[in-house]
Amino acid sequence: SILASYQHTHAHPLTYTLYQKNLSFRLQNPPAITQDVQWRNPDFVTFQEVTSQNRAILTSIQDTHPSQSICDFARVGGVAVASRFPAVPGTATCSETKGLAAIQLQTPDGPVWLVSIHLHWPYPFGQAQHVKQLLPTIETFKGKVILAGDFNMVPWSFALKQIAKTTQTTPAGPLFPTLIKMGAPLPIDHVYAPGGGRASKRDLLGSDHSGVLAEV
């Protein structure tokens, strides 16, 4: 089945963890997400819909995840990345009009780009054009890439296959819904890494999106 095709098998141990979350611009209780991130203590963090109201989450984890890049995007908020690993100087990247924040990090296994993406919804909301604008930026990230975000799209779509091909990454699985919209469960928040990985769902914690915790 389509879902089964995203059950990734692993030839090597999984060594890093990533916490992905669309925070929601309507978030009323930021401390709940802060506590969940601190409890899980991931190596990498990716957020979307970062606003002045919930940005305190990034501030609260700055001691443990000091390498951060935050970028404004749409009215619903910006995108951000954070990590415990030191940043490669001068690599913090912000593309305000493209919904992308990135930074290259020096991990024990060498440099890796950490990228957070928030895509527009598909037709008629301009996702195809958004991806077309994003790809040239993503192509500049040379070497290994780990990216995550609210893609507003399923991983077997043409749009996400383009992104995966450009970054030479595979989605972490299994696949599961992260947003309920008009009664439909939608698997639209994903984590991509060079070798894929194993993903599990985190609670809503005041957001309308479930979080994703991935071992990659």
Side-chain angles (χ1 to χ4, degrees):
S1 68
I2 292 176
L3 296 184
S5 70
Y6 285 91
Q7 300 275 355
H8 188 67
T9 57
H10 313 290
H12 304 285
L14 306 178
T15 53
Y16 298 103
T17 55
L18 184 150
Y19 191 105
Q20 150 61 25
K21 183 75 170 180
N22 180 319
L23 299 177
S24 175
F25 69 97
R26 297 188 180 96
L27 185 67
Q28 299 296 313
N29 186 26
I33 295 178
T34 297
Q35 291 168 8
D36 199 46
V37 174
Q38 291 173 335
W39 178 43
R40 291 296 174 176
N41 196 27
D43 299 298
F44 310 112
V45 177
T46 54
F47 287 149
Q48 299 80 45
E49 297 197 18
V50 179
T51 67
S52 58
Q53 287 74 34
N54 61 40
R55 190 164 173 162
I57 297 172
L58 283 160
T59 302
S60 68
I61 65 171
Q62 197 157 26
D63 286 347
T64 54
H65 296 75
S67 298
Q68 298 188 0
S69 178
I70 307 167
C71 189
D72 292 334
F73 176 41
R75 285 179 295 175
V76 294
V79 288
V81 294
S83 177
R84 67 173 70 259
F85 299 119
V88 176
T91 60
T93 302
C94 170
S95 296
E96 288 190 11
T97 61
K98 300 175 184 177
L100 178 148
I103 196 167
Q104 192 178 37
L105 303 161
Q106 193 60 257
T107 76
D109 294 298
V112 61
W113 282 97
L114 177 64
V115 184
S116 175
I117 290 176
H118 193 180
L119 289 184
H120 292 307
W121 284 97
Y123 180 85
F125 298 104
Q127 186 180 99
Q129 182 63 26
H130 190 178
V131 172
K132 186 177 180 179
Q133 293 172 345
L134 267 178
L135 290 178
T137 300
I138 295 173
E139 286 174 348
T140 67
F141 301 146
K142 302 304 181 183
K144 293 180 180 178
V145 176
I146 297 174
L147 73 157
D150 173 6
F151 295 90
N152 282 312
M153 182 51 69
V154 294
W156 57 84
S157 65
F158 178 71
L160 267 61
K161 284 183 177 179
Q162 283 184 293
I163 292 174
K165 181 179 179 180
T166 300
T167 56
Q168 298 183 49
T169 56
T170 301
L175 197 64
F176 46 78
T178 55
L179 176 71
I180 306 296
K181 193 172 182 68
M182 294 183 291
L186 304 175
I188 59 174
D189 295 77
H190 312 293
V191 175
Y192 284 78
R198 181 169 57 238
S200 60
K201 183 189 289 190
R202 302 302 301 147
D203 293 336
L204 293 174
L205 301 175
S207 174
D208 53 347
H209 285 247
S210 299
V212 180
L213 183 68
E215 299 174 85
V216 298

